[in-house]
Amino acid sequence: MLELSHVTKHYAGTAALEDCDLNMASGETTVLIGPSGCGKSTILRLIIGLQLPDAGQIQFAGQPLEPAKLPALRQRMGYVLQDGGLFPHLSARGNVTLMAQHLGWASQRIDARVEELAELTHFPVDGLDRFPVQLSGGQQQRVSLMRALMLDPEVLLLDEPLGALDPMIRFELQNDLRDIFSRLNKTVVMVTHDLAEAAFFGDTIVLLRDGRIIQQGTLRQMLHAPADEFVTRFIHAQRAPLEAMEEHP
Amino acid sequence: MSEKTTVGKQAVMGLRLVLLLVISGCLLGAGNSPADQPTLVVGSKNFTEGVVLGELARALASTQSTAEHRQALGGTRLVFNALVSGEIDVYAEYTGTLTHEILAQQKPESREEIRDMLAESGLRMSESLGFRDNFALGMPKALAKRLGIRRVSDLRAHPELVVRFGTEFMERGDGWPGLRQHYGLPQQDVLGVEHDLAYRGMAAGDVELTDLYTTDAEIAYYDLFTLEDDLGYFPPYEALLLYRAELAQTHPAALRAMLGLEGAIDEAQMIAMNARVKLDGVQENVVAADFLRAELAVDVDAKATRRIDRFFRNTGQHLALVISSLTAAVLVAVPLGIAAARRPRLAQVILGVVGVAQTIPALALLVFMIPLFGIGAGPAVVALFFYSLLPIVRNTHTGLTGIPLPLRESAEALGLSSGARLRLIEAPLAAPSILAGIKTAAVINVGAATLGALIGAGGYGQPILTGIRLDDTSLILEGAVPAAVLAIGVQWLFEWAERAVIPAGIRTQKRA
């Protein structure tokens, strides 16, 4: 579905991504993980076209991403940011339906879709007419997810979608999210720095460091056959959640 | 459609609108008569005698055709140029000013030469109106006696004198520069002030020497001593009418009526008329009508304008100046602010240029407009337009660049086009800042518009200027109070508009 080949991106001289090859299969969830500044968010930003690669090519459903095609291709992708990126001057409903209205959908179609998404994301219907500031952090992320899913995109890109939430809400939303991913059968690319979260969601986990892919596979592979010493250190640094998981495989 | 062409189109449309407004402003200022014969426009320089003579000419002309008087337009240069360009048809001038100021470079030696030179510009002059209003120097009688000063050459022994000249005398070739050279005068503390303020400064003891017009009513009123021009510097200043040659064809009867003033006014009568206006507070049109009735047996109707009528006229003119200049400024400045926000390199240029426009003093900006747009409401609107740009451009730029990056990127990631992002996301989010910029511009504009009266644009500045000229505080307040009230009203209006325009979600956020 998504394919990066030899992609390189530099910021002010330092490499954010160096000669990166990555293939994300259709209907699978790929989790990008690594320490801060490893380039994991850059991959999402390159896919959605907020930045252009310095070298290499990105393909979306077999087509190369080109600036001229971006507005159209972006409608086939949904993008969720850590703090939601909700527009404060629009209600929850206004945020969710913005693009559909811009594209001239009929109001019945819009209403039906919003109802469907509210049910899917467990968002209370009476909250739809509130403004983002009147919603809790968890609710804001649900709205952000609804907005990303509104046009029923093939690809869902999530940049630390749960990073700003407190643990209880985070746990609840994690379950809801995984449920949604499996029901919708979308190609999902998610960025996190939390190993437990990565293992919880990811069919494939991609570990990055300094703009390079260090290892790609399941958590179990990383644990038992680490590509190098950094993989082991990274996993051990986040040991506690790992142990909890071993008890309930 | 790329964002470049969108911004470009908006800018072009904005400019077109400005031009349209400016042109309509000029037309409004010029005034139109319903009759097929155009209105005869009398002008006057900004001192009382000039206005009285203008009223006399207007009253006489109005017995034969429609005539209006654009009072106290400005100094010699401005009014003469307005005559040459046809914005006015006639005004009262003096021979000395013609030979030593207006035609100083050609150095005419006889009246015939003056007539020939004026004819080249399509102008004519009348015979003398019957009196001279010479320049002279004057000081308080008691001071002159104490220092033993009788003649101008006596001033050489008193370099410490505090000298305040009327602005015009200060700069004219036949004024202070020539006088100082001719007599070798040593005074250092010499400044230009508004002529009437010099008199008041003299009464208060702050000013020791000033320039006088020999028909000024104040010479007797303030008990001043007129210094003898012992080295014969000042030329004679015979009063006369200067008019456009084509009046003989377009308004022959009105011209004949006005020329009835030739030889009709003697010096004592002129001083008396000046005194009635300046010391007794009688309006110029009433003084002129009384004179015409008594001396020329011409009956013209002259009612003192009622305060309330004046108030409504000034309010209308002031609002027209503010609304047209502000509307034009919004239409140009908002697109400029958007362009600046989208192109950081362009931003430096745009903000730099409008910033410079703001640093030009409002008064100077008004004067710069005169050669381009003449006098009246047109140039005032253009000057106010330039003056209103900076707050709006800057706040539009700040409002747009201040939108948090995640929000801008979210809008882009949704797949919205550049234009849709601006309309649906960026403009509403920047609205509070843009509106605050417009509010600032509007409040500044209301104040600066009072200066428009200096170039004949009318408005609340008119009673303020007349009040200064006549030393009439109630007239000054008649302009100053409504201008202040209007500024406060504009502030309220915008605060109400904020509630109506700014999206509820942002207001909620502010409270939180």
Side-chain angles (χ1 to χ4, degrees):
Chain A
M1 192 58 166
L2 286 164
E3 196 177 341
L4 281 70
S5 39
H6 304 292
V7 170
T8 297
K9 179 72 191 170
H10 293 257
Y11 293 129
T14 56
L17 219 52
E18 192 70 64
D19 194 24
C20 181
D21 287 308
L22 194 57
N23 197 351
M24 285 156 265
S26 183
E28 282 206 3
T29 298
T30 308
V31 177
L32 307 176
I33 193 168
S36 296
C38 69
K40 54 192 192 292
S41 289
T42 301
I43 292 179
L44 288 196
R45 296 170 63 79
L46 289 169
I47 293 172
I48 195 78
L50 290 174
Q51 262 139 9
L52 298 176
D54 297 331
Q57 202 191 43
I58 301 167
Q59 289 209 326
F60 176 86
Q63 297 184 55
L65 278 181
E66 285 165 13
K69 291 187 200 155
L70 272 176
L73 288 179
R74 280 171 180 155
Q75 292 173 23
R76 296 167 64 187
M77 309 185 216
Y79 184 53
V80 178
L81 285 165
Q82 176 172 338
D83 61 1
L86 293 178
F87 305 122
H89 64 296
L90 298 176
S91 65
R93 185 190 299 276
N95 267 281
V96 174
T97 62
L98 179 71
M99 200 58 206
Q101 274 174 342
H102 183 64
L103 294 174
W105 283 25
S107 61
Q108 285 137 326
R109 184 180 172 199
I110 291 178
D111 290 346
R113 179 67 179 156
V114 171
E115 208 171 301
E116 193 184 336
L117 288 173
E119 202 175 308
L120 180 75
T121 58
H122 298 152
F123 185 81
V125 175
D126 60 354
L128 281 170
D129 294 312
R130 298 213 185 118
F131 289 106
V133 280
Q134 297 165 318
L135 300 173
S136 71
Q139 285 175 326
Q140 286 185 23
Q141 284 311 82
R142 288 177 202 272
V143 174
S144 188
L145 186 66
M146 285 165 74
R147 183 172 74 182
L149 290 171
M150 183 70 192
L151 301 184
D152 198 15
E154 295 137 82
V155 169
L156 199 52
L157 307 170
L158 304 107
D159 195 349
E160 305 222 23
L162 310 173
L165 302 179
D166 70 60
M168 290 293 290
I169 295 175
R170 187 175 178 146
F171 177 72
E172 194 185 315
L173 207 58
Q174 271 176 348
N175 284 311
D176 285 355
L177 267 182
R178 189 166 70 167
D179 191 35
I180 291 166
F181 295 164
S182 66
R183 274 172 67 184
L184 296 180
N185 196 31
K186 306 242 177 248
T187 309
V188 178
V189 186
M190 183 185 210
V191 163
T192 182
H193 61 266
D194 187 294
L195 192 63
E197 198 165 281
F200 183 78
F201 284 108
D203 300 319
T204 308
I205 298 172
V206 179
L207 180 61
L208 289 110
R209 183 195 186 191
D210 297 336
R212 289 176 190 279
I213 294 171
I214 303 296
Q215 189 165 4
Q216 189 172 345
T218 63
L219 181 61
R220 209 164 287 279
Q221 286 169 341
M222 287 185 189
L223 192 62
H224 298 301
D228 67 9
E229 206 247 335
F230 170 75
V231 179
T232 310
R233 272 196 290 129
F234 187 82
I235 290 173
H236 277 259
Q238 302 206 20
R239 200 180 183 113
L242 177 71
E243 282 171 353
M245 212 188 62
E246 297 255 306
E247 284 170 29
H248 311 280
Chain B
M1 175 166 60
S2 80
E3 65 182 49
K4 200 177 197 171
T5 56
T6 313
V7 171
K9 266 183 202 157
Q10 282 162 344
V12 169
M13 273 173 57
L15 273 174
R16 270 197 206 139
L17 222 118
V18 175
L19 284 176
L20 209 74
L21 283 166
V22 167
I23 290 164
S24 54
C26 290
L27 291 175
L28 275 177
N32 291 322
S33 106
D36 46 353
Q37 191 183 39
T39 300
L40 187 145
V41 184
V42 180
S44 56
K45 296 203 267 184
N46 58 353
F47 68 108
T48 299
E49 185 170 295
V51 177
V52 171
L53 292 171
E55 273 305 310
L56 286 167
R58 184 201 59 80
L60 287 169
S62 69
T63 61
Q64 306 298 330
S65 80
T66 53
E68 65 161 319
H69 180 194
R70 303 181 72 184
Q71 298 192 358
L73 285 173
T76 299
R77 271 288 150 204
L78 198 153
V79 181
F80 182 79
N81 288 341
L83 183 69
V84 171
S85 65
E87 286 173 282
I88 59 173
D89 296 308
V90 56
Y91 80 98
E93 193 45 280
Y94 302 89
T95 50
T97 311
L98 280 169
T99 52
H100 285 69
E101 171 75 9
I102 296 171
L103 305 171
Q105 286 175 336
Q106 290 104 310
K107 293 192 175 57
E109 296 193 346
S110 68
R111 230 166 244 213
E112 280 59 47
E113 281 189 40
I114 298 178
R115 283 187 197 284
D116 292 345
M117 289 172 191
L118 287 174
E120 284 170 26
S121 308
L123 305 180
R124 288 197 191 154
M125 66 184 205
S126 71
E127 296 300 324
S128 165
L129 302 184
F131 70 95
R132 287 182 181 183
D133 182 1
N134 285 0
F135 269 124
L137 296 187
M139 59 199 306
K141 257 188 192 145
L143 181 69
K145 202 166 194 179
R146 185 156 51 80
L147 299 177
I149 296 173
R150 299 187 49 79
R151 305 168 304 175
V152 175
S153 41
D154 294 339
L155 293 173
R156 290 186 199 129
H158 300 279
E160 75 292 345
L161 286 175
V162 178
V163 186
R164 295 292 177 268
F165 289 131
T167 322
E168 180 148 5
F169 184 79
M170 191 74 191
E171 282 149 20
R172 285 164 60 135
D174 60 342
W176 170 243
L179 181 74
R180 182 172 58 181
Q181 207 174 9
H182 194 79
Y183 278 92
L185 296 178
Q187 281 74 21
Q188 290 301 316
D189 188 0
V190 182
L191 292 174
V193 296
E194 220 274 319
H195 189 58
D196 298 280
L197 294 179
Y199 279 129
R200 260 165 272 158
M202 200 162 262
D206 300 329
V207 178
E208 294 173 321
L209 183 75
T210 190
D211 60 310
L212 305 174
Y213 303 116
T214 50
T215 55
D216 277 354
E218 288 88 344
I219 297 175
Y221 182 76
Y222 290 110
D223 201 20
L224 304 182
F225 180 79
T226 309
L227 276 61
E228 187 197 332
D229 180 18
D230 54 319
L231 297 184
Y233 172 72
F234 291 118
Y237 286 77
E238 297 271 359
L240 46 77
L241 292 179
L242 215 52
Y243 58 93
R244 296 184 60 78
E246 76 256 21
L247 281 189
Q249 286 84 47
T250 59
H251 298 80
L255 179 61
R256 261 196 311 279
M258 289 192 291
L259 293 181
L261 286 174
E262 288 179 339
I265 311 168
D266 67 24
E267 189 173 312
Q269 285 169 328
M270 194 65 240
I271 294 175
M273 283 195 276
N274 287 339
R276 278 193 76 196
V277 174
K278 296 209 69 171
L279 307 178
D280 306 339
V282 183
Q283 280 183 19
E284 289 92 345
N285 60 336
V286 176
V287 170
D290 289 348
F291 176 86
L292 293 177
R293 203 175 299 119
E295 303 298 326
L296 298 181
V298 174
D299 220 4
V300 292
D301 128 77
K303 270 178 284 176
T305 15
R306 286 188 305 158
R307 197 171 274 255
I308 186 78
D309 295 336
R310 224 166 33 214
F311 170 76
F312 281 123
R313 191 193 57 213
N314 292 336
T315 303
Q317 290 170 336
H318 206 89
L319 284 177
L321 288 177
V322 170
I323 291 171
S324 52
S325 61
L326 191 67
T327 308
V330 170
L331 291 172
V332 172
V334 171
L336 275 180
I338 293 170
R342 296 245 160 149
R343 306 236 180 281
R345 257 187 235 155
L346 201 61
Q348 291 181 350
V349 179
I350 291 174
L351 291 174
V353 170
V354 296
V356 167
Q358 186 81 357
T359 60
I360 302 172
L363 198 56
L365 199 57
L366 278 174
V367 175
F368 289 153
M369 292 302 144
I370 293 169
L372 299 172
F373 299 100
I375 52 172
V381 168
V382 176
L384 290 172
F385 159 76
F386 280 117
Y387 227 53
S388 302
L389 286 179
L390 178 67
I392 307 177
V393 172
R394 196 173 45 198
N395 275 40
T396 304
H397 177 255
T398 311
L400 288 173
T401 51
I403 296 172
L405 190 67
L407 290 185
R408 275 186 277 157
E409 291 193 338
S410 290
E412 206 181 338
L414 275 179
L416 288 170
S417 66
S418 172
R421 290 205 300 273
L422 182 63
R423 189 162 47 84
L424 298 171
I425 310 296
E426 293 169 14
L429 290 177
S433 175
I434 297 174
L435 209 60
I438 298 175
K439 178 166 77 176
T440 307
V443 172
I444 293 175
N445 195 314
V446 167
T450 56
L451 292 171
L454 285 169
I455 56 170
Y460 290 138
Q462 195 64 59
I464 296 177
L465 284 188
T466 313
I468 293 172
R469 180 161 59 78
L470 300 177
D471 191 17
D472 182 339
T473 312
S474 77
L475 258 182
I476 295 176
L477 291 178
E478 193 181 308
V481 171
V485 170
L486 184 60
I488 295 168
V490 163
Q491 186 114 9
W492 279 344
L493 185 75
F494 274 94
E495 268 150 35
W496 171 81
E498 268 169 24
R499 250 168 277 150
V501 170
I502 294 175
I506 306 180
R507 275 186 276 130
T508 319
Q509 191 178 33
K510 263 186 192 166
R511 225 177 295 141

